[in-house]
Amino acid sequence: EVRLSALRSLEDIIASAVSKGSHSTQVPAEPLARCLSDDSSAVRNLAVAVVSLYPQLRAPPTGTSSPLSELAASVAEYLNHGLQPVRRAASAAIAALGDEVKEQYAAQCSLAMTQDSEPQARCSGVEALLKLAKSGRLEDSHVSSIARLRLDPHWTVRRAAAEALARCGSDALQRHSRELDQLELDPDWRVRRAAAAAKAQLLEGH
């Protein structure tokens, strides 16, 4: 397999740079990140493994570009990919780049989770978005993404959306009152209960 062989060569190059204590490699970030969108799961998995070597490179001199930050930016572009395996690979690669990078791209990774085919993953994505509020990084667009999950086919995700809206603050509740109205009419009683609680919170704020 040509692509796997090429990736293994990249792996050797980076591993060599790590062993020499280098702070850079001759491996362009974008082509490596592009491997995360490969049709082959073996290629995607190996690409994540190669990406995970980058944090071991020595920090570059002050004022110079970091191969880690360049790669992270290239990888992050695939978090919005239309195919789930690619989004999952990109999320895994971001996580492999270390806590600082993971925190930097937390919003994008969380939004990617809300598009996952697994209901539990989508619920986890909602919860991850809410954590951004603690650091003041929850944006209106993030709340809108949560509100759109009122149309999710699984009741647990719709309930998570209703509960999350209640935790986004009175301004968010006001902006998305129509979505709450829809959730109050949900076929599942558990979703209706969560929406009613959120609506009660909204009314208490007036």
Side-chain angles (χ1 to χ4, degrees):
E1 172 63 64
V2 175
R3 291 168 296 179
L4 285 173
S5 177
L7 267 178
R8 291 190 182 102
S9 295
L10 293 180
E11 187 175 28
D12 290 340
I13 292 172
I14 300 174
S16 176
V18 169
S19 66
K20 294 176 181 178
S22 174
H23 54 69
S24 65
T25 73
Q26 298 301 312
V27 181
E30 201 283 326
L32 175 54
R34 194 186 311 135
C35 291
L36 298 169
S37 65
D38 197 274
D39 292 338
S40 167
S41 61
V43 171
R44 294 194 302 273
N45 291 338
L46 182 54
V48 172
V50 174
V51 166
S52 70
L53 294 173
Y54 265 71
Q56 301 177 47
L57 290 169
R58 184 164 59 87
T62 303
T64 60
S65 61
S66 166
L68 186 64
S69 61
E70 292 176 2
L71 179 59
S74 295
V75 168
E77 294 181 8
Y78 293 90
L79 290 170
N80 295 320
H81 198 278
L83 297 178
Q84 175 173 286
V86 177
R87 294 194 302 271
R88 286 181 172 179
S91 294
I94 289 293
L97 287 173
D99 291 341
E100 185 175 338
V101 170
K102 186 177 179 180
E103 181 66 18
Q104 181 181 356
Y105 292 98
Q108 292 95 317
C109 289
S110 300
L111 289 170
M113 290 176 67
T114 64
Q115 301 177 56
D116 199 275
S117 64
E118 294 294 328
Q120 183 56 51
R122 298 198 295 278
C123 290
S124 296
V126 170
E127 192 63 32
L129 282 173
L130 287 175
K131 290 181 180 179
L132 297 174
K134 296 180 180 179
S135 56
R137 293 186 295 152
L138 185 67
E139 301 177 0
D140 291 346
S141 61
H142 302 153
V143 179
S144 295
S145 294
I146 292 173
R148 280 194 291 272
L149 292 175
R150 71 189 185 282
L151 303 175
D152 195 275
H154 202 279
W155 71 268
T156 59
V157 181
R158 299 195 302 274
R159 182 182 64 179
E163 292 174 344
L165 287 174
R167 295 164 58 188
C168 288
S170 57
D171 289 344
L173 281 172
Q174 184 62 44
R175 285 196 306 274
H176 297 286
S177 60
R178 291 185 178 181
E179 287 90 335
L180 279 177
D181 289 340
Q182 288 181 268
L183 288 166
E184 279 195 295
L185 299 175
D186 194 271
D188 192 284
W189 67 270
R190 290 159 291 195
V191 178
R192 294 196 301 271
R193 182 175 64 182
K199 180 61 72 70
Q201 183 174 319
L202 173 61
L203 294 175
E204 288 174 2
H206 288 273

